[in-house]
Amino acid sequence: MCGIVGYTGKKHDCVNILLDGLRRLEYRGYDSAGIAVLANGKIESIKSVGKVKKLQDKINESAASTTSIKTASTGIAHTRWATHGAPTEQNAHPHMDDNGDFALVHNGIIENYQALKENLIKKGHTFRSETDSEAIVHLISECYEGDLFQAVAAAIKKIEGTFGIAVISTKHPDTIITARRGSPIVIGIGNSETIVASDLAAIVSYTRRVIFLNDDDIALITPDNIDIRNIENVPVSRETAHIDWDTGAAEKSGFDHFMLKEIFEQPEAITNAIRGHLDDSSATSILSGLNLSPREMSMINRIVIAACGTSLHAGMMGEYFFEDFADLPTEIQQAAEFRYRNPILEPNSMVIAISQSGETADTLAAVREATQKGAIVASICNVVGSTITRETSRGIYLHAGPEIGVASTKAFTCQVAVMLMMALKFGRNRRLSRQEGLEIMNEIRKVPELVKKVLDTAPEIEKVAERYANASNFFFIGRGYLYPVALEGALKLKEISYIHAEGYHAAELKHGPIALLEENVPVMALANDIPGRDKMLGNIQECRARKSPVIATATEGDTEIKNIVNDVIYIPRSPHYTACIPTVTALQLFSYYVAKKRGCSIDQPRNLAKSVTVE
Ligand code: F6R
């Protein structure tokens, strides 16, 4: 969940590159940050609690920065999301060994760190932090016999858990050694400079040529060379990929927050997600990434979708689509639950892992469990080259562009659009007629415009949101296709505004939660004109009878609803299977404006990280 960046080369100012990389990675974790550079044969390290800005101020004020640090050409840096030990300067990375010969940054969790630590203390090492990470740097120095590869290989053989690490050493100038297991590491190849990071966001401004490491790869990096070996110290070759990213996409471009920018990018993001996938001549979608012939597709008799958080809600939408369009029994499972419950999978079961980052630990574990049980495993991911995409080898990219705001927005709507196309494909492979296929395709094509119409009403949604910004509790209720949207709306509100919000099936309200309704507990009722609306009107009355203020989402032209609710957010008319997308956009805006009114840290909410690489 932390962010790592390292640089070696003389083309750019090393410290500036490290700080720039940290700023771009800050969304991964942000309770403390630090850098270490090789300067005049020594390691100089500066750390600070808080955001990267604080670290930058500290570096500017430090005496060392005017001399040695400024001239450094090799260094590593880290932005932390605390797992072991409070967010203090001592616990911030980089961590050093006793003699100050090695400095290390780490992303992941070392499960056997207590045993390692006790053993290392017995051997005379002194620990200065409460972190699990510090054990790795002592271990490397303990294993070091003059060869960095050998030292890191020996150290990681003793480690249980997950790691992406980058290490510098006074004994090896102009060199960074990096390795991974379970946490991503990507190396950017420049011209006489090399960058290593946990995430492409820190690299793409400098180079688009990258290498993704596999688990248990160790890479020795210098400005002009990248030497990759496996854990047995045997050279391995890894493909160089070219990354097609618009760097402007990783800037705020005039918006107050990345989240708002990403909400507004949705029409374009969804257009990119569906681009080239809809084929009029066959009245279906072309999803060559699935790598399934029509015959193989027709043999699939069950779909299981595994995901976490917002991606889980997108998966719930998928369950409706696959069953409605393709008569294909589908179930959605929280990825951690899937991996530990010993799922029943048959050779004709297809498991779809959904993940924006492609790095979520539980979703990755679900992929591995499904793979070893012999299922057909595919992924729907946004981040190109991420671990889940590489381990599934079949799947569909969202092409939503980088999502920096911690709260997922455009990835969700693109995931839903991709699943619509997948369900269409399976549907046409089974029972949908050509005409029905064409109709669904046309509706999918209209989605970017539907979303745009909702975005045009942002000022009105802001006014509604401001009226509810003082609430302490909130309910979101929906039915059918709008049930997962209610869950997602509640998740968005709670994570960025810190208002306690619960998403419920409208019918479930009576089975307990209704006890909580009173005049200061508002209800967001998703009452669009799709199947279930009539029942929803009844549920709204039940809420009003308990004095709860009700905000409704409703289909444009529905004037009747105005009489029974306090506020209405209008959504353009579309069939039930696409209505969920513009509706979620309205809820994203609602949450954003509530959080803004409350003065919350919208892009980096407390306690959260963008990529959850721990269980
Ligand atoms: C909420 C949010 C998280 C993620 C979840 C899974 O806004 O972003 O709930 O959806 O951590 O992440 P991915 O999709 O990267 O697997």
Side-chain angles (χ1 to χ4, degrees):
M1 325 256 286
C2 311
I4 290 176
V5 57
Y7 176 84
T8 179
K10 294 204 171 63
K11 265 186 83 181
H12 288 89
D13 175 344
C14 173
V15 171
N16 273 345
I17 291 223
L18 295 179
L19 287 171
D20 180 52
L22 288 188
R23 271 189 296 271
R24 292 174 194 277
L25 296 179
E26 217 175 11
Y27 70 94
R28 292 180 69 101
Y30 32 76
D31 54 41
S32 51
I35 64 161
V37 295
L38 287 172
N40 300 333
K42 285 200 329 210
I43 293 177
E44 296 273 8
S45 174
I46 300 185
K47 308 186 204 184
S48 98
V49 173
K51 297 195 171 183
V52 174
K53 173 77 178 68
K54 284 210 172 156
L55 175 68
Q56 175 158 24
D57 293 345
K58 199 165 170 186
I59 291 173
N60 290 341
E61 288 156 16
S62 104
S65 71
T66 51
T67 53
S68 48
I69 287 193
K70 276 245 162 83
T71 56
S73 59
T74 298
I76 52 176
H78 188 267
T79 172
R80 177 167 188 251
W81 185 85
T83 56
H84 293 63
T88 61
E89 221 167 270
Q90 254 176 346
N91 289 333
H93 299 216
H95 294 291
M96 311 254 284
D97 70 319
D98 293 294
N99 298 330
D101 286 335
F102 299 90
L104 162 136
V105 288
H106 166 229
N107 176 22
I109 288 189
I110 305 306
E111 283 159 10
N112 61 338
Y113 86 100
Q114 276 299 1
L116 292 172
K117 186 170 174 175
E118 280 161 27
N119 204 15
L120 287 158
I121 290 173
K122 276 190 205 138
K123 290 188 171 153
H125 294 262
T126 307
F127 279 69
R128 291 166 201 84
S129 77
E130 304 157 288
T131 65
D132 52 339
S133 313
E134 193 183 344
I136 315 174
V137 73
H138 290 289
L139 200 54
I140 291 173
S141 93
E142 180 68 28
C143 298
Y144 183 74
E145 290 165 3
D147 177 348
L148 261 184
F149 260 125
Q150 159 273 320
V152 170
I156 66 175
K157 276 186 184 163
K158 294 188 174 28
I159 290 175
E160 287 164 24
T162 56
F163 56 84
I165 55 169
V167 179
I168 51 171
S169 167
T170 53
K171 297 168 191 292
H172 299 265
D174 302 325
T175 303
I176 299 173
I177 190 150
T178 179
R180 69 158 275 174
R181 186 186 299 154
S183 293
I185 288 286
V186 53
I187 300 168
I189 311 165
N191 212 344
S192 295
E193 61 181 355
T194 310
I195 309 179
V196 57
S198 49
D199 192 314
L200 282 170
I203 292 181
V204 287
S205 310
Y206 305 100
T207 176
R208 303 299 172 85
R209 291 173 63 223
V210 299
I211 295 174
F212 295 96
L213 292 192
N214 284 355
D215 274 355
D216 284 335
D217 281 353
I218 306 169
L220 194 86
I221 296 166
T222 61
D224 295 303
N225 194 40
I226 298 162
D227 182 0
I228 309 176
R229 308 207 187 156
N230 65 18
I231 200 166
E232 302 306 336
N233 214 344
V234 176
V236 288
S237 92
R238 300 284 171 239
E239 240 174 71
T240 302
H242 187 271
I243 299 301
D244 215 4
W245 248 22
D246 172 7
T247 38
E251 311 286 344
K252 278 193 219 154
S253 314
F255 285 90
D256 285 349
H257 295 95
F258 280 114
M259 181 179 178
L260 189 62
K261 176 186 171 232
E262 288 157 10
I263 291 173
F264 272 85
E265 278 172 353
Q266 287 176 109
E268 194 190 337
I270 299 167
T271 304
N272 289 340
I274 61 181
R275 192 190 306 280
H277 287 307
L278 297 174
D279 178 40
D280 288 289
S281 60
S282 55
T284 187
S285 40
I286 304 174
L287 299 171
S288 42
L290 287 183
N291 202 12
L292 288 172
S293 68
R295 173 125 194 94
E296 286 165 332
M297 192 170 265
S298 65
M299 308 283 274
I300 292 171
N301 56 16
R302 182 168 160 248
I303 290 192
V304 180
I305 303 173
C308 302
T310 287
S311 298
L312 180 72
H313 299 150
M316 290 175 76
M317 305 290 333
E319 186 175 8
Y320 288 90
F321 299 151
F322 283 115
E323 296 196 351
D324 273 5
F325 293 176
D327 272 352
L328 192 52
T330 305
E331 103 202 46
I332 168 80
Q333 294 196 16
Q334 204 286 337
E337 197 54 24
F338 174 88
R339 71 179 288 201
Y340 286 118
R341 72 190 294 201
N342 195 13
I344 301 168
L345 294 172
E346 287 147 6
N348 291 339
S349 302
M350 177 164 175
V351 174
I352 304 173
I354 307 179
S355 173
Q356 187 286 129
S357 61
E359 302 293 348
T360 300
D362 284 321
T363 312
L364 177 59
V367 162
R368 290 179 177 160
E369 181 67 17
T371 305
Q372 72 94 25
K373 281 200 151 74
I376 300 163
V377 188
S379 59
I380 298 177
C381 291
N382 192 33
V383 177
V384 175
S386 53
T387 311
I388 291 176
T389 61
R390 284 180 294 128
E391 296 214 5
T392 46
S393 72
R394 69 171 88 222
I396 299 160
Y397 280 119
L398 301 180
H399 300 299
E403 194 179 64
I404 309 289
V406 163
S408 186
T409 53
K410 62 178 178 172
F412 176 83
T413 45
C414 289
Q415 286 164 344
V416 177
V418 165
M419 268 180 309
L420 269 170
M421 295 191 297
M422 270 178 101
L424 166 64
K425 177 113 195 126
F426 275 93
R428 283 286 289 133
N429 181 252
R430 284 141 202 264
R431 67 176 174 134
L432 287 181
S433 69
R434 189 183 151 72
Q435 188 51 35
E436 286 167 321
L438 283 174
E439 276 162 23
I440 293 170
M441 267 174 47
N442 283 337
E443 295 302 336
I444 296 175
R445 285 194 177 109
K446 288 182 196 159
V447 170
E449 190 52 33
L450 297 175
V451 171
K452 188 168 174 312
K453 283 193 176 148
V454 169
L455 294 174
D456 291 342
T457 66
E460 287 140 57
I461 296 178
E462 180 169 13
K463 280 192 203 126
V464 177
E466 286 180 350
R467 288 200 273 278
Y468 296 89
N470 290 329
S472 306
N473 296 286
F474 232 104
F475 277 91
F476 285 67
I477 55 172
R479 289 172 170 269
Y481 277 70
L482 294 177
Y483 168 48
V485 176
L487 300 185
E488 176 57 12
L491 175 61
K492 268 323 62 110
L493 186 66
K494 76 182 99 178
E495 67 182 328
I496 61 165
S497 74
Y498 314 143
I499 294 176
H500 169 233
E502 298 209 36
Y504 263 94
H505 193 285
E508 269 296 303
L509 209 59
K510 284 194 281 296
H511 298 282
I514 202 165
L516 297 173
L517 296 190
E518 52 182 12
E519 61 197 3
N520 55 2
V521 180
V523 177
M524 174 73 77
L526 309 185
N528 306 32
D529 188 9
I530 64 172
R533 175 178 176 274
D534 291 350
K535 301 273 178 243
M536 181 57 91
L537 295 186
N539 298 133
I540 289 174
Q541 297 293 5
E542 289 157 11
C543 299
R544 295 301 309 272
R546 272 85 193 168
K547 298 198 166 49
S548 277
V550 177
I551 315 152
T553 62
T555 303
E556 256 168 22
D558 182 346
T559 46
E560 182 196 355
I561 199 152
K562 275 190 176 163
N563 305 324
I564 59 163
V565 300
N566 301 71
D567 284 289
V568 185
I569 296 174
Y570 281 109
I571 311 294
R573 183 172 290 282
S574 74
H576 57 290
Y577 53 86
T578 55
C580 48
I581 302 182
T583 307
V584 93
T585 302
L587 300 188
Q588 294 164 349
L589 284 171
F590 179 81
S591 300
Y592 172 82
Y593 290 122
V594 168
K596 187 173 168 206
K597 180 83 180 160
R598 290 165 72 95
C600 297
S601 168
I602 294 181
D603 282 334
Q604 296 165 355
R606 67 184 181 208
N607 304 340
L608 294 184
K610 183 71 182 160
S611 175
V612 184
T613 50
V614 294
E615 277 187 54

